[in-house]
mmCIF file of all heavy atoms in Angstrom:
data_model
loop_
_atom_site.group_PDB
_atom_site.id
_atom_site.type_symbol
_atom_site.label_atom_id
_atom_site.label_comp_id
_atom_site.label_asym_id
_atom_site.label_seq_id
_atom_site.Cartn_x
_atom_site.Cartn_y
_atom_site.Cartn_z
ATOM 1 N N ILE P 154 -0.063 11.151 -40.653
ATOM 2 C CA ILE P 154 -1.228 11.808 -41.360
ATOM 3 C C ILE P 154 -1.103 13.329 -41.301
ATOM 4 O O ILE P 154 -1.068 13.977 -42.308
ATOM 5 C CB ILE P 154 -2.598 11.351 -40.639
ATOM 6 C CG1 ILE P 154 -2.703 9.842 -40.453
ATOM 7 C CG2 ILE P 154 -3.809 11.981 -41.409
ATOM 8 C CD1 ILE P 154 -2.948 8.994 -41.698
ATOM 9 N N SER P 155 -0.944 13.827 -40.039
ATOM 10 C CA SER P 155 -0.936 15.285 -39.877
ATOM 11 C C SER P 155 0.513 15.842 -40.124
ATOM 12 O O SER P 155 0.690 16.959 -40.327
ATOM 13 C CB SER P 155 -1.386 15.686 -38.543
ATOM 14 O OG SER P 155 -0.441 15.243 -37.612
ATOM 15 N N GLU P 156 1.483 14.905 -39.970
ATOM 16 C CA GLU P 156 2.899 15.312 -40.034
ATOM 17 C C GLU P 156 3.376 16.319 -38.944
ATOM 18 O O GLU P 156 4.212 17.148 -39.118
ATOM 19 C CB GLU P 156 3.298 15.830 -41.415
ATOM 20 C CG GLU P 156 3.095 14.739 -42.476
ATOM 21 C CD GLU P 156 3.482 15.054 -43.879
ATOM 22 O OE1 GLU P 156 3.731 16.247 -44.118
ATOM 23 O OE2 GLU P 156 3.488 14.174 -44.677
ATOM 24 N N THR P 157 2.595 16.281 -37.812
ATOM 25 C CA THR P 157 2.934 17.085 -36.640
ATOM 26 C C THR P 157 3.301 16.238 -35.527
ATOM 27 O O THR P 157 3.020 15.040 -35.495
ATOM 28 C CB THR P 157 1.775 18.071 -36.206
ATOM 29 O OG1 THR P 157 0.732 17.235 -35.657
ATOM 30 C CG2 THR P 157 1.207 18.884 -37.385
ATOM 31 N N ALA P 158 3.974 16.881 -34.505
ATOM 32 C CA ALA P 158 4.428 16.169 -33.293
ATOM 33 C C ALA P 158 3.553 16.738 -32.105
ATOM 34 O O ALA P 158 4.051 16.789 -30.935
ATOM 35 C CB ALA P 158 5.926 16.313 -33.081
ATOM 36 N N ASN P 159 2.321 16.953 -32.371
ATOM 37 C CA ASN P 159 1.425 17.576 -31.377
ATOM 38 C C ASN P 159 0.711 16.377 -30.639
ATOM 39 O O ASN P 159 -0.415 16.056 -30.942
ATOM 40 C CB ASN P 159 0.374 18.385 -32.086
ATOM 41 C CG ASN P 159 -0.355 19.393 -31.133
ATOM 42 O OD1 ASN P 159 -0.071 19.325 -29.983
ATOM 43 N ND2 ASN P 159 -1.315 20.033 -31.655
ATOM 44 N N TRP P 160 1.414 15.845 -29.633
ATOM 45 C CA TRP P 160 1.012 14.544 -29.013
ATOM 46 C C TRP P 160 0.302 14.794 -27.703
ATOM 47 O O TRP P 160 0.637 15.691 -26.992
ATOM 48 C CB TRP P 160 2.232 13.630 -28.754
ATOM 49 C CG TRP P 160 2.903 13.177 -29.993
ATOM 50 C CD1 TRP P 160 4.205 13.532 -30.437
ATOM 51 C CD2 TRP P 160 2.417 12.357 -31.046
ATOM 52 N NE1 TRP P 160 4.507 12.969 -31.597
ATOM 53 C CE2 TRP P 160 3.467 12.167 -32.010
ATOM 54 C CE3 TRP P 160 1.277 11.598 -31.235
ATOM 55 C CZ2 TRP P 160 3.326 11.406 -33.169
ATOM 56 C CZ3 TRP P 160 1.132 10.748 -32.259
ATOM 57 C CH2 TRP P 160 2.211 10.686 -33.315
ATOM 58 N N THR P 161 -0.668 13.879 -27.387
ATOM 59 C CA THR P 161 -1.328 13.896 -26.025
ATOM 60 C C THR P 161 -0.416 13.128 -25.103
ATOM 61 O O THR P 161 0.633 12.679 -25.448
ATOM 62 C CB THR P 161 -2.647 13.044 -26.123
ATOM 63 O OG1 THR P 161 -2.324 11.754 -26.492
ATOM 64 C CG2 THR P 161 -3.676 13.660 -27.078
ATOM 65 N N GLU P 162 -0.937 12.985 -23.833
ATOM 66 C CA GLU P 162 -0.249 12.155 -22.851
ATOM 67 C C GLU P 162 -0.327 10.647 -23.369
ATOM 68 O O GLU P 162 -1.233 10.365 -24.180
ATOM 69 C CB GLU P 162 -0.976 12.176 -21.527
ATOM 70 C CG GLU P 162 -0.921 13.572 -20.886
ATOM 71 C CD GLU P 162 0.370 14.115 -20.691
ATOM 72 O OE1 GLU P 162 1.271 13.442 -20.060
ATOM 73 O OE2 GLU P 162 0.726 15.158 -21.278
ATOM 74 N N VAL P 163 0.562 9.831 -22.806
ATOM 75 C CA VAL P 163 0.429 8.407 -23.117
ATOM 76 C C VAL P 163 -0.620 7.763 -22.095
ATOM 77 O O VAL P 163 -0.555 8.037 -21.012
ATOM 78 C CB VAL P 163 1.771 7.723 -22.974
ATOM 79 C CG1 VAL P 163 1.685 6.228 -23.091
ATOM 80 C CG2 VAL P 163 2.793 8.231 -24.003
ATOM 81 N N ARG P 164 -1.549 7.008 -22.713
ATOM 82 C CA ARG P 164 -2.495 6.294 -21.817
ATOM 83 C C ARG P 164 -2.673 4.854 -22.271
ATOM 84 O O ARG P 164 -2.298 4.532 -23.370
ATOM 85 C CB ARG P 164 -3.918 6.998 -22.053
ATOM 86 C CG ARG P 164 -4.034 8.346 -21.276
ATOM 87 C CD ARG P 164 -5.291 9.046 -21.670
ATOM 88 N NE ARG P 164 -5.294 9.427 -23.063
ATOM 89 C CZ ARG P 164 -6.319 9.854 -23.703
ATOM 90 N NH1 ARG P 164 -7.461 9.952 -23.160
ATOM 91 N NH2 ARG P 164 -6.222 10.217 -25.060
ATOM 92 N N GLN P 165 -3.228 4.071 -21.347
ATOM 93 C CA GLN P 165 -3.378 2.613 -21.558
ATOM 94 C C GLN P 165 -4.741 2.348 -22.280
ATOM 95 O O GLN P 165 -5.728 2.870 -21.794
ATOM 96 C CB GLN P 165 -3.379 1.820 -20.285
ATOM 97 C CG GLN P 165 -2.084 1.925 -19.557
ATOM 98 C CD GLN P 165 -1.161 0.744 -20.003
ATOM 99 O OE1 GLN P 165 -0.911 0.522 -21.161
ATOM 100 N NE2 GLN P 165 -0.593 0.103 -19.047
ATOM 101 N N PHE P 166 -4.849 1.545 -23.278
ATOM 102 C CA PHE P 166 -6.082 1.116 -23.876
ATOM 103 C C PHE P 166 -6.150 -0.392 -24.021
ATOM 104 O O PHE P 166 -5.140 -1.072 -24.359
ATOM 105 C CB PHE P 166 -6.240 1.757 -25.259
ATOM 106 C CG PHE P 166 -6.601 3.191 -25.193
ATOM 107 C CD1 PHE P 166 -5.519 4.158 -25.213
ATOM 108 C CD2 PHE P 166 -7.925 3.631 -25.042
ATOM 109 C CE1 PHE P 166 -5.926 5.485 -25.102
ATOM 110 C CE2 PHE P 166 -8.189 4.946 -24.927
ATOM 111 C CZ PHE P 166 -7.213 5.914 -24.986
ATOM 112 N N ASN P 167 -7.330 -0.969 -23.733
ATOM 113 C CA ASN P 167 -7.457 -2.361 -23.896
ATOM 114 C C ASN P 167 -7.681 -2.774 -25.343
ATOM 115 O O ASN P 167 -8.261 -2.056 -26.094
ATOM 116 C CB ASN P 167 -8.689 -2.846 -23.031
ATOM 117 C CG ASN P 167 -8.642 -4.340 -22.895
ATOM 118 O OD1 ASN P 167 -8.898 -5.179 -23.739
ATOM 119 N ND2 ASN P 167 -8.306 -4.787 -21.632
ATOM 120 N N LEU P 168 -7.069 -3.912 -25.664
ATOM 121 C CA LEU P 168 -7.075 -4.380 -27.068
ATOM 122 C C LEU P 168 -8.105 -5.263 -27.506
ATOM 123 O O LEU P 168 -8.243 -5.709 -28.605
ATOM 124 C CB LEU P 168 -5.701 -5.017 -27.338
ATOM 125 C CG LEU P 168 -4.433 -4.179 -27.345
ATOM 126 C CD1 LEU P 168 -3.216 -5.017 -27.739
ATOM 127 C CD2 LEU P 168 -4.586 -3.015 -28.463
ATOM 128 N N MET P 169 -9.042 -5.566 -26.538
ATOM 129 C CA MET P 169 -10.067 -6.583 -26.826
ATOM 130 C C MET P 169 -11.288 -5.918 -27.603
ATOM 131 O O MET P 169 -11.710 -4.877 -27.180
ATOM 132 C CB MET P 169 -10.566 -7.318 -25.605
ATOM 133 C CG MET P 169 -9.609 -8.366 -25.165
ATOM 134 S SD MET P 169 -10.372 -9.569 -24.003
ATOM 135 C CE MET P 169 -10.609 -8.517 -22.605
ATOM 136 N N PHE P 170 -11.803 -6.644 -28.511
ATOM 137 C CA PHE P 170 -13.077 -6.210 -29.157
ATOM 138 C C PHE P 170 -14.168 -6.811 -28.403
ATOM 139 O O PHE P 170 -14.130 -7.908 -27.901
ATOM 140 C CB PHE P 170 -13.217 -6.816 -30.572
ATOM 141 C CG PHE P 170 -12.526 -6.155 -31.704
ATOM 142 C CD1 PHE P 170 -11.383 -6.684 -32.277
ATOM 143 C CD2 PHE P 170 -12.919 -4.915 -32.115
ATOM 144 C CE1 PHE P 170 -10.664 -6.042 -33.251
ATOM 145 C CE2 PHE P 170 -12.218 -4.287 -33.193
ATOM 146 C CZ PHE P 170 -11.051 -4.855 -33.706
ATOM 147 N N SER P 171 -15.308 -6.065 -28.287
ATOM 148 C CA SER P 171 -16.418 -6.671 -27.532
ATOM 149 C C SER P 171 -17.705 -6.495 -28.442
ATOM 150 O O SER P 171 -17.817 -5.771 -29.340
ATOM 151 C CB SER P 171 -16.684 -5.973 -26.295
ATOM 152 O OG SER P 171 -17.039 -4.631 -26.454
ATOM 153 N N THR P 172 -18.679 -7.374 -28.145
ATOM 154 C CA THR P 172 -19.992 -7.250 -28.793
ATOM 155 C C THR P 172 -20.979 -7.755 -27.769
ATOM 156 O O THR P 172 -20.687 -7.960 -26.642
ATOM 157 C CB THR P 172 -19.926 -8.138 -30.050
ATOM 158 O OG1 THR P 172 -21.180 -7.950 -30.767
ATOM 159 C CG2 THR P 172 -19.804 -9.657 -29.803
ATOM 160 N N GLN P 173 -22.271 -7.752 -28.241
ATOM 161 C CA GLN P 173 -23.381 -8.127 -27.334
ATOM 162 C C GLN P 173 -23.894 -9.575 -27.603
ATOM 163 O O GLN P 173 -23.968 -9.871 -28.780
ATOM 164 C CB GLN P 173 -24.518 -7.152 -27.457
ATOM 165 C CG GLN P 173 -24.189 -5.701 -27.460
ATOM 166 C CD GLN P 173 -23.742 -5.273 -26.021
ATOM 167 O OE1 GLN P 173 -24.373 -5.633 -25.086
ATOM 168 N NE2 GLN P 173 -22.572 -4.585 -25.999
ATOM 169 N N ILE P 174 -24.285 -10.228 -26.583
ATOM 170 C CA ILE P 174 -24.877 -11.635 -26.802
ATOM 171 C C ILE P 174 -26.125 -11.703 -25.917
ATOM 172 O O ILE P 174 -26.057 -11.191 -24.798
ATOM 173 C CB ILE P 174 -23.821 -12.705 -26.493
ATOM 174 C CG1 ILE P 174 -24.329 -14.023 -27.131
ATOM 175 C CG2 ILE P 174 -23.530 -12.848 -25.055
ATOM 176 C CD1 ILE P 174 -23.195 -15.063 -27.249
ATOM 177 N N GLY P 175 -27.159 -12.208 -26.483
ATOM 178 C CA GLY P 175 -28.417 -12.234 -25.832
ATOM 179 C C GLY P 175 -28.489 -13.174 -24.602
ATOM 180 O O GLY P 175 -29.229 -12.849 -23.648
#
Side-chain angles (χ1 to χ4, degrees):
I154 311 286
S155 67
E156 297 182 351
T157 69
N159 193 6
W160 298 111
T161 60
E162 299 304 304
V163 171
R164 283 170 298 167
Q165 295 270 51
F166 285 92
N167 196 285
L168 291 180
M169 282 196 292
F170 280 108
S171 64
T172 185
Q173 310 291 313
I174 196 163

